[in-house]
């Protein structure tokens, strides 16, 4: 395609739009014709948007139904343990008296319970290794446990995943196992309504005080004394000090001068957790926070009286980067320390006096805290509890008190037996489910009664109750791994149907016509209405599933029937979507291989390397095809761009964040070290390099088609470069804030950073979008006398008989790429410097891919959209992400904001996590627009096919990960590997659906209108 057009026919296209007066054809005839075509295009475009919204709805419903059946549920019983009704009789007890102890004589009148968020067990153990900042900073816990074993003990405190603070607090106060959905009276909100330790304390007339993390107030509204309680925002992970300083400020006076005003204090410190999120565990900031906690605990010990119990614990740990949420060892291995000035603790049951050296030795579950605290404080054990009393708290300081240890375990086991009976009745479970547990209970209770009648309970009785409780816990774990298989099948069916529809729509051998959309939509809506009515009727007559579920399924199923019916009615039909070229088959092969591979945990773990292989394979194949091109220009261009694409892919692969399962065969380079969440100093050069080089590279591609003119000069030459430079300055200030390089207050730096970030986001997404909407085509016009007016608007009146239009051959592509740069700016800002470099490489890979597609005549092939989709997933990993919950970079929410603000904070995190997929989704129309003349016919249908093919790839990946997660739902690695990959794929599909619909197809509308206003409608 020539870059310049000078024919007289071009004058016929342009002059009427510039006000030239010609006798033949009449201006009003041309105007009416253009107006008719404009209305026709806008109508077809709106219908096309509606069609893709229907596809999005099918995806959303499929994911909803599968997730509803896949995420574990348990029935929440609203039973409540009563002080006057112990589950079994035990010596020394006086039921019904809170003063003496409900079920067992209480040991303490009051307690100070300190939660140090993300306190990993190895943070508390002394080490000869001085290379890590988290070692030997918090010494007091181990020190007291060794020096005063009768007053203190320190143990590994194992959390049940997911290791999110809210789920952990539920487990720590109810003694139940975490599930994703709790079905029962509290389904509608976040407040814990089931029986729990905090509610029992309140019912006992205790005055409760809470200091710190405000999550407690959403879980236990109205439980804490309003005058003494002080809650703080828990989500600002950039703030290391406000919460901790506030807790300490109010805690110590309560202990020292206001001791009679409270009974229980909950103090929740967040600084260690926030330091981990912001910097990683191996950073001086984490060391400082641990040392601060050491000082605070020593001060609390000094102020503590003899009748008060002090508990210090972590709700979870943190991984090597300081994140949590998953089930790796570092994330679940927290610490528990108990202290009392009166000698009541012991180790006689195992004769191991010192704390364990590692978290693998003598661990206790976090659910065990609930019965332990309940009995120590003289409360009933919450009804739904599954934990067991911690032996060190009851064995006694000298000779083992087996009677006491057996008694508290008899009470705990008896309450568990009560719960087991009530739960089985509520669920209608067969007696066989708990048959082994029933046998163990019968043995234990018989031994207990015999011991009470004949001799004092001994170690054998204690061990019998321990065996029963362990077996019951095992059964409950398997029982609550309960999936709603029909709902999962409904979801997979809807996702499969959506995949089949997209396949026919996008890759049928008969070219798609945008004019067919009204036919489809009319029947889809009619049949959906019938399906909705039928589903609603079925829901009214059946108890399961509910009316809402049947209505949604009916509407979705009816709409699918409507599509199939219309497809059969179209005379030409939509034949099977088989490829018709070598690279078309390659795109299918790569997609299918990846989908099949997700059945393997090792494939899923090493997905980033698999994508590297697939992209390199494409580059080599395109290089081979380019060599065979007949035209020398196409051959040279294809060879150069294929090689460039391959080199860029290899360079991008150097950025990586390793997941735990990849070790020791992987080395993280995304951060300064494997145990850090901050960038290395040299990485700060990357944003400045981007600001200097990236606009120049883009300019070079534009100059290849002589399109660097008009709107492109201002936006690429000035807007893009200045925005990238501002992003680079932001990350310099961020590093200065992290490392205290500047003698400037933290608030001043924070204000400067958020101001720059808001300006960059405003320029890219607000001003940039506005500029794109009003931008003229990127062309320049050369008049006959050799003077170039530099834009697309010649003088009014009769124009010259001949003129040169530069950029004509790439008018659609050059203008549309301006929209890509808008999102490029925003995403680069929201990535760490290494991630920004990866996104910059992605932009160049997109341009190289467009040239490969053009030189090899692949605009209608599936390979372009599929490779774009693979690039999006590939750079997802290259921007510091993995298919794990712990790799979510939550701190992104505070790049442009000081506090959590909805919906902006979640949107910023989404832009960070799925930035690569978003950019490739925006770029999809370029596959068919790059180097296309202004009056190319059928562009709307071609863009629709490209977008559908792009979404088709993500739909295939999502369906595969969904099916494998469902099939492998009993696999050992389900929640570590397969479930996070399913959730990642589902979220990515919904994101690219919305971006493809509203940004890609929506942005294409503006592009067509702008070009057609100059050259007329095709």
């Amino acid at each position: 395609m020539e870059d310049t057009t000078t024919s007289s026919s071009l004058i016929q296209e342009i002059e009427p739009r510039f006000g030239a007066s010609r006798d033949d054809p009449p201006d009003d005839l041309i105007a009416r014709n253009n107006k008719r075509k404009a209305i026709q295009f806008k109508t077809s475009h709106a219908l096309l948007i509606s069609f893709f919204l229907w596809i999005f709805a099918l995806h959303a419903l499929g994911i909803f139904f599968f997730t509803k059946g896949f995420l574990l549920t348990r029935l929440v019983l609203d039973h409540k343990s009563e002080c006057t009704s112990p589950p079994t009789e035990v010596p020394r007890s006086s039921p019904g008296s809170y003063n003496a102890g409900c079920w067992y004589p209480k040991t303490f009148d009051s307690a100070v319970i300190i939660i140090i968020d993300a306190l990993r067990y190895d943070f508390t153990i002394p080490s000869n290794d001085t290379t890590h900042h988290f070692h030997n900073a918090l010494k007091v816990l181990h020190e007291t446990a060794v020096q005063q074993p009768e007053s203190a003990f320190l143990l590994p405190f194992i959390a049940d995943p997911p290791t999110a603070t809210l789920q952990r607090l539920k487990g720590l106060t109810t003694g139940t196992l975490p599930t994703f959905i709790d079905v029962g009276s509290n389904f509608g909100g976040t407040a814990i309504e089931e029986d729990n330790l905090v509610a029992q304390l309140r019912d006992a007339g205790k005055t409760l005080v809470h200091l710190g993390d405000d999550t407690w107030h959403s879980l236990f509204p109205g439980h804490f004394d309003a005058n003494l309680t002080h809650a703080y925002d828990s989500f600002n992970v950039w703030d290391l000090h406000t919460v901790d300083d506030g807790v300490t400020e109010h805690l110590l006076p309560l202990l020292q001068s206001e001791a009679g005003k409270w009974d229980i204090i909950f103090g929740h410190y967040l600084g260690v957790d926030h330091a981990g999120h912001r910097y990683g565990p191996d950073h001086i900031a984490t060391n400082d926070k641990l040392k601060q906690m050491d000082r605070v605990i020593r001060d609390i010990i000094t102020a503590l009286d003899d009748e008060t119990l002090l508990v210090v614990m972590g709700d979870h740990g943190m991984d090597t980067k300081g994140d949590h949420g998953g089930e790796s060892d570092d994330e679940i291995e927290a610490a528990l320390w108990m202290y009392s000035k009166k000698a009541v603790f012991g180790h006689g049951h195992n004769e191991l006096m010192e704390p364990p050296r590692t978290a693998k030795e003598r661990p206790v579950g976090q659910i065990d805290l609930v019965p332990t605290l309940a009995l120590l404080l003289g409360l009933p054990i919450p009804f739904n509890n599954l934990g067991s009393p911690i032996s060190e708290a009851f064995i006694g300081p000298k000779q083992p008190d087996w009677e006491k240890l057996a008694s508290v375990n008899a009470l705990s086991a008896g309450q568990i037996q009560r719960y087991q009976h009530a739960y089985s009745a509520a669920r209608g479970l067969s007696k066989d489910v708990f048959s082994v547990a029933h046998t163990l209970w019968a043995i234990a209770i018989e031994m207990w009664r015999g011991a009470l009648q004949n001799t004092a309970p001994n170690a054998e009785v204690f061990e019998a109750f321990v065996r029963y409780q362990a077996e019951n816990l095992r059964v409950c774990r398997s029982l609550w791994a309960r999936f709603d298989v029909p709902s999962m099948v409904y979801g997979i069916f809807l996702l499969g149907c959506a995949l089949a529809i997209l396949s026919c729509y996008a890759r049928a051998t008969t070219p798609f016509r945008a004019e067919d959309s009204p036919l489809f939509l009319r029947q889809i809506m009619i049949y959906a209405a019938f399906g909705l009515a039928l589903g609603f009727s079925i829901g009214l007559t059946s108890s399961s599933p509910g009316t809402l579920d049947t209505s949604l399924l009916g509407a979705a199923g009816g709409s699918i029937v409507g599509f199939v019916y219309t497809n059969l009615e179209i005379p030409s039909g939509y034949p099977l979507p088989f490829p018709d070229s070598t690279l078309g088959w390659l795109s299918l092969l790569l997609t299918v291989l990846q989908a099949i591979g997700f059945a393997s945990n090792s494939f899923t773990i090493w997905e980033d390397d698999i994508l590297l292989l697939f992209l390199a394979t494409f580059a080599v194949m395109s290089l081979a095809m380019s060599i065979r091109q007949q035209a020398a220009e196409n051959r040279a261009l294809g060879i150069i761009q294929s090689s460039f694409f391959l080199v860029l892919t290899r360079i991008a692969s150097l950025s990586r964040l390793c997941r735990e399962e990849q070790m020791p065969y992987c080395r993280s380079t995304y951060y300064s070290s494997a145990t850090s969440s901050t960038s290395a100093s040299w990485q700060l050069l990357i944003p400045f390099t981007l600001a200097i080089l990236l606009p120049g590279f883009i300019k070079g591609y534009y100059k290849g088609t002589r399109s660097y003119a008009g709107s492109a000069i201002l936006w690429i030459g000035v807007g893009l470069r200045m925005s990238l430079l501002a992003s680079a300055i932001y990350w310099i200030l961020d590093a200065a804030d992290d490392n205290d390089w500047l003698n400037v207050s933290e608030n001043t730096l924070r204000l400067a950073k958020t101001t720059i970030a808001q300006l960059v986001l405003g320029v890219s997404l607000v001003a940039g979008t506005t500029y794109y909407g009003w931008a003229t085509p990127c062309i320049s016009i050369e008049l006959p006398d050799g003077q170039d007016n530099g834009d697309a608007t010649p003088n009014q009146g009769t124009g010259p008989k001949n003129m040169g239009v530069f950029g004509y051959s790439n008018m659609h592509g050059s203008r549309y790429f301006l929209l890509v740069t808008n999102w490029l700016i925003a995403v680069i800002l929201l990535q760490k410097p290494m991630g920004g470099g990866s996104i910059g490489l992605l932009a160049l890979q997109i341009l190289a891919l467009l040239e490969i597609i053009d030189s090899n005549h692949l605009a209608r092939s599936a390979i372009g959209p599929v490779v774009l989709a693979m690039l999006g997933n590939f750079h997802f990993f290259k921007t510091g992400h993995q298919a794990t919950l712990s790799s979510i970079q939550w701190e992104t929410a505070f790049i442009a904001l000081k506090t959590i603000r909805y919906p902006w904070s979640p949107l910023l995190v989404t832009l960070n996590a799925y930035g690569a997929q978003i950019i490739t989704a925006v770029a999809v129309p370029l596959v068919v627009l790059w180097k296309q003349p202004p009056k190319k016919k059928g562009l709307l249908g071609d863009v629709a096919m490209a977008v559908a093919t792009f979404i088709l790839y993500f739909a295939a990946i999502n369906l595969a990960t969904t099916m494998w997660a469902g099939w492998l739902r009993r696999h050992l690695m389900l929640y570590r590997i397969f479930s996070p990959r399913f959730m990642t794929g589902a979220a990515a599909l919904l994101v690219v659906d919305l971006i493809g619909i509203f940004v890609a197809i929506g942005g294409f509308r503006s592009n067509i209108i702008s070009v057609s206003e100059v050259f007329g409608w095709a």
Side-chain angles (χ1 to χ4, degrees):
M1 180 73 65
E2 292 293 330
D3 299 323
T4 308
T5 299
T6 59
S7 64
S8 58
S9 62
L10 182 59
I11 301 174
Q12 295 176 4
E13 297 177 15
I14 297 178
E15 283 188 341
R17 263 69 62 189
F18 294 154
S21 174
R22 299 183 62 86
D23 296 330
D24 186 24
D27 285 350
D28 57 345
L29 180 61
I30 295 176
R32 287 197 300 270
N33 188 45
N34 280 328
K35 185 176 181 180
R36 177 183 59 80
K37 290 182 178 180
I39 294 173
Q40 186 180 51
F41 167 80
K42 292 175 182 179
T43 303
S44 297
H45 182 271
L47 293 171
L48 188 64
I49 292 283
S50 302
F51 180 84
F52 275 99
L53 283 174
W54 171 61
I55 296 294
F56 168 75
L58 290 181
H59 288 156
L61 286 174
I63 292 169
F64 166 75
F65 278 105
F66 180 85
T67 303
K68 182 169 171 286
F70 180 70
L71 297 184
L72 303 185
T73 63
R74 69 179 175 92
L75 176 66
V76 176
L77 302 181
D78 56 7
H79 298 59
K80 188 176 180 63
S81 295
E82 299 294 338
C83 185
T84 57
S85 179
T88 187
E89 295 183 5
V90 297
R92 312 180 193 175
S93 66
S94 55
S97 171
Y98 279 114
N99 291 329
C102 284
W103 293 357
Y104 197 77
K106 66 180 179 180
T107 309
F108 301 99
D109 293 320
S110 55
V112 176
I113 301 170
I114 302 297
I115 298 93
I116 301 178
D117 211 287
L119 180 62
R120 209 167 70 190
Y121 183 72
D122 61 333
F123 293 176
T124 68
I125 301 301
S127 173
N128 295 326
D129 182 5
T130 60
T131 60
H132 296 299
H133 290 290
F134 52 78
H135 282 151
N136 305 318
L138 178 55
K139 300 178 181 179
V140 63
L141 306 185
H142 188 273
E143 180 183 295
T144 52
V146 171
Q147 296 176 1
Q148 306 173 54
E150 297 177 350
S151 293
F153 63 84
L154 173 64
L155 292 172
F157 199 40
I158 307 303
D160 291 291
T163 50
T165 293
L166 187 142
Q167 291 284 359
R168 290 292 77 246
L169 292 182
K170 285 186 176 182
L172 288 167
T173 54
T174 63
T176 58
L177 298 174
T179 57
F180 288 94
I181 301 175
D182 294 338
V183 183
S185 59
N186 67 329
F187 184 76
T190 60
I192 296 178
E193 300 294 341
E194 64 181 303
D195 198 8
N196 63 81
L197 192 62
V198 178
Q200 288 287 353
L201 286 166
R202 183 191 58 178
D203 293 346
K206 302 290 186 182
T207 299
L208 309 182
V209 176
H210 168 259
L211 306 170
D213 185 348
D214 60 356
T215 305
W216 288 80
H217 289 263
S218 63
L219 297 176
F220 307 105
H223 285 60
F224 303 107
D225 185 281
N227 296 322
L228 300 177
T229 291
H230 299 274
Y232 300 87
D233 180 17
S234 61
F235 287 104
N236 189 353
V237 296
W238 291 88
D239 187 349
L240 274 58
H241 307 297
T242 300
V243 177
D244 289 6
D245 293 345
V247 173
T248 304
E249 177 188 353
H250 296 98
L251 174 61
L252 293 179
L254 287 172
L255 295 174
Q256 294 165 349
S257 59
E258 303 179 42
K261 296 183 178 180
W262 57 270
D263 296 298
I264 307 293
I265 297 176
F266 295 93
H268 196 146
Y269 286 89
L270 294 172
V272 173
D273 178 69
H274 288 185
H277 283 299
R278 184 171 177 181
Y279 302 106
D282 197 13
H283 191 276
I284 190 62
T286 304
N287 180 275
D288 290 343
K289 296 308 297 184
L290 290 171
K291 287 181 177 178
Q292 180 188 8
M293 293 299 98
D294 186 87
R295 294 190 298 271
V296 168
I297 294 169
R298 292 182 190 275
D299 290 341
I300 295 174
I301 291 173
T302 302
L304 206 66
D305 62 38
D306 292 348
E307 297 303 319
T308 300
L309 170 68
L310 174 59
V311 181
V312 176
M313 70 180 108
D315 56 342
H316 51 74
M318 64 174 71
D319 64 15
T320 56
K321 306 185 310 303
D323 298 319
H324 58 88
E327 57 178 325
S328 68
D329 288 348
D330 283 342
E331 292 170 90
I332 66 173
E333 293 172 352
L336 171 68
W337 179 78
M338 286 191 180
Y339 175 85
S340 168
K341 287 191 173 180
K342 56 182 180 181
V344 294
F345 301 141
H347 305 266
H349 64 297
N350 54 31
E351 298 182 352
L352 298 173
M353 304 301 290
E354 291 196 2
R357 295 298 303 171
T358 72
K360 303 296 187 294
E361 305 169 34
R362 294 152 47 205
V364 296
Q366 290 195 349
I367 58 175
D368 296 340
L369 180 70
V370 172
T372 302
L373 288 181
L375 294 173
L376 287 175
L377 296 171
L379 303 172
I381 298 174
F383 190 86
N384 295 331
N385 166 73
L386 296 174
S388 304
I390 298 171
S391 298
E392 281 81 354
F394 299 99
I395 192 62
K398 296 179 181 178
Q399 293 297 322
D401 189 343
W402 294 112
E403 179 181 322
K404 184 176 184 180
L405 196 56
S407 296
V408 295
N409 276 276
L411 289 169
S412 175
Q415 178 53 45
I416 289 173
Q417 200 273 339
R418 273 183 177 175
Y419 171 74
Q420 179 194 101
H421 178 77
Y423 191 85
S424 297
R427 278 288 194 189
L429 300 177
S430 167
K431 293 182 179 180
D432 295 338
V433 174
F434 287 100
S435 59
V436 177
H438 286 319
T439 301
L440 292 175
W441 169 254
I443 294 172
I445 200 66
E446 183 179 353
M447 293 176 64
W448 171 250
R449 290 169 179 165
L452 290 180
Q453 294 174 2
N454 302 318
T455 60
N458 54 29
E460 292 181 358
V461 179
F462 158 67
E463 291 169 358
F465 282 121
V466 169
R467 285 192 294 271
Y468 163 72
Q469 291 174 98
E471 170 62 19
N472 188 82
L473 183 60
R474 183 196 66 80
V475 173
C476 286
R477 287 187 189 277
S478 63
L479 187 65
W480 290 345
R482 183 182 181 127
F483 302 91
D484 184 352
V485 176
S487 182
M488 294 165 63
V489 172
Y490 299 150
I492 291 173
F493 171 77
L494 291 178
L495 291 173
C497 288
L499 183 73
I501 290 168
L502 273 174
S503 299
C504 293
Y505 188 85
R507 304 317 312 168
T509 53
T510 300
F512 166 75
R513 295 177 303 162
E515 294 80 6
D516 292 338
S517 295
L519 301 176
F520 285 114
L521 287 172
R522 183 169 58 250
Q523 296 300 323
I524 286 170
M525 293 178 65
I526 292 172
Y527 279 85
F530 279 117
L532 177 66
L534 179 62
F536 183 77
S537 302
I538 294 174
L540 292 176
T541 58
S542 64
S543 58
S544 180
T547 304
L548 176 63
D549 288 358
T550 56
S551 300
L552 292 174
L553 284 171
S559 66
I560 292 168
V561 172
F563 176 86
V564 173
Y565 174 79
T566 307
N567 190 53
L568 296 175
E569 288 295 306
I570 293 177
S572 59
Y574 281 83
L576 294 177
F578 290 126
D580 56 0
S581 66
T582 302
L583 287 182
W585 279 105
L586 177 66
S587 64
L588 176 62
L589 177 64
L590 295 180
T591 305
V592 171
L593 286 177
Q594 191 173 3
I596 294 173
F598 286 119
S600 165
N601 56 354
S602 58
F603 181 98
T604 307
I605 290 169
W606 293 97
E607 184 182 357
D608 50 349
D609 282 354
I610 300 296
L611 286 169
L612 172 62
L613 173 64
F614 285 177
L615 290 171
T617 300
F618 161 74
V620 172
M621 289 283 290
S622 65
L623 179 63
M625 289 190 64
S626 298
I627 293 173
R628 298 175 58 189
Q629 289 294 318
Q630 297 297 320
E633 182 181 354
N634 286 341
R635 182 167 61 250
L637 186 62
I639 291 173
I640 292 172
Q641 296 300 328
S642 297
S643 302
F644 189 44
F645 183 92
L646 181 60
V647 171
L648 291 172
T649 303
R650 294 301 304 180
I651 295 174
S653 70
L654 298 177
S655 171
R656 70 184 311 171
L657 178 71
C658 304
R659 56 188 294 164
E660 183 187 20
E661 296 85 359
Q662 293 177 329
M663 307 302 290
Y665 307 105
C666 176
R667 187 173 69 88
S668 293
T669 59
Y670 191 76
Y671 296 109
S672 59
S673 70
T675 57
S676 174
S677 293
T678 58
S679 300
S681 297
W682 69 266
Q683 291 175 333
L684 298 176
L685 297 174
I686 295 175
F688 287 98
T689 304
L690 276 182
I692 296 170
L693 297 181
L694 184 58
F697 273 101
I698 295 174
K699 178 181 177 181
Y701 278 94
Y702 270 66
K703 285 196 168 184
T705 55
R706 307 187 74 171
S707 301
Y708 193 68
S711 304
I713 296 176
L714 177 60
W715 189 245
I716 296 173
V718 180
L720 176 61
R721 193 182 300 277
M722 291 300 101
S723 298
L724 292 177
L725 182 60
S727 297
I729 294 172
Y730 172 90
W731 287 108
I732 286 290
L733 293 177
D734 182 72
D737 188 14
D738 289 344
N739 299 283
D740 295 325
W741 290 344
L742 302 176
N743 188 22
V744 179
S745 70
E746 184 175 341
N747 289 335
T748 302
L749 275 177
R750 185 73 184 139
L751 177 62
K753 290 195 302 180
T754 54
T755 301
I756 291 173
Q758 290 171 3
L759 284 174
V760 172
L761 292 175
V763 167
S764 61
L765 298 182
V766 180
T769 302
T770 304
Y771 184 79
Y772 172 78
W774 291 94
T776 57
C778 302
I779 59 173
S780 60
I781 299 174
E782 185 176 287
L783 300 177
D785 59 2
Q787 296 177 349
D788 187 353
N789 69 352
D791 57 34
T793 310
N795 297 327
Q796 299 295 319
T798 304
K801 298 302 181 183
N802 203 3
M803 66 176 70
V805 180
F806 297 96
Y808 180 86
S809 66
N810 193 24
M811 193 169 303
H812 285 293
S814 60
R815 187 187 182 280
Y816 184 87
F817 192 81
L818 299 179
L819 180 62
V820 178
T821 62
N822 294 346
W823 290 86
L824 198 67
I825 294 168
V827 172
I828 287 176
L829 169 71
L830 297 175
Q831 306 294 331
K832 299 280 188 178
M834 199 74 169
S838 172
I839 296 298
L841 293 174
L842 171 61
L844 297 180
Q845 285 179 290
I846 291 172
L847 289 168
L849 175 64
L850 297 177
E851 295 290 355
I852 293 170
I853 290 172
D854 175 68
S855 61
N856 289 277
H857 312 294
L858 299 171
R860 292 188 58 83
S861 172
I863 195 66
V866 169
V867 171
L868 269 178
M870 287 195 294
L871 279 173
N873 278 352
F874 177 68
H875 284 274
F876 168 81
F877 296 103
K878 301 302 111 181
T879 52
H881 299 95
Q882 286 283 351
T884 59
L885 294 176
S886 60
S887 72
I888 299 174
Q889 298 171 24
W890 298 108
E891 66 272 19
T892 307
F894 302 98
I895 286 179
L897 300 169
K898 294 181 179 180
T899 59
I900 292 289
R901 293 179 62 184
Y902 296 96
W904 310 115
S905 297
L907 288 176
L908 292 177
V909 174
T910 302
L911 273 172
N912 168 270
Y914 295 102
Q917 289 98 328
I918 288 172
I919 288 175
T920 52
V922 176
V924 171
L926 286 168
V927 171
V928 296
L929 296 180
W930 195 252
K931 293 189 177 180
Q932 293 296 340
K935 299 192 72 171
K936 174 78 161 52
K937 293 184 179 295
L939 278 181
L940 180 60
D942 291 345
V943 167
M945 289 181 65
V947 172
T949 305
F950 180 83
I951 295 174
L952 179 63
Y953 170 87
F954 285 96
I957 297 303
N958 177 61
L959 178 61
T961 55
T962 301
M963 291 176 63
W964 292 127
W967 181 258
L968 300 170
R969 61 188 181 276
R970 301 293 180 185
H971 195 282
L972 180 64
M973 292 293 178
L974 175 64
Y975 291 107
R976 195 162 188 161
I977 296 175
F978 298 110
S979 178
R981 187 60 186 88
F982 148 68
M983 289 188 283
T984 302
L989 175 61
L990 297 180
V991 168
V992 299
D993 270 345
L994 293 174
I995 295 296
I997 294 169
F998 293 109
V999 181
I1001 299 178
F1004 169 72
R1005 179 181 187 273
S1006 173
N1007 208 71
I1008 284 289
I1009 292 174
S1010 175
V1011 172
S1012 299
E1013 284 178 349
V1014 177
F1015 289 92
W1017 291 85

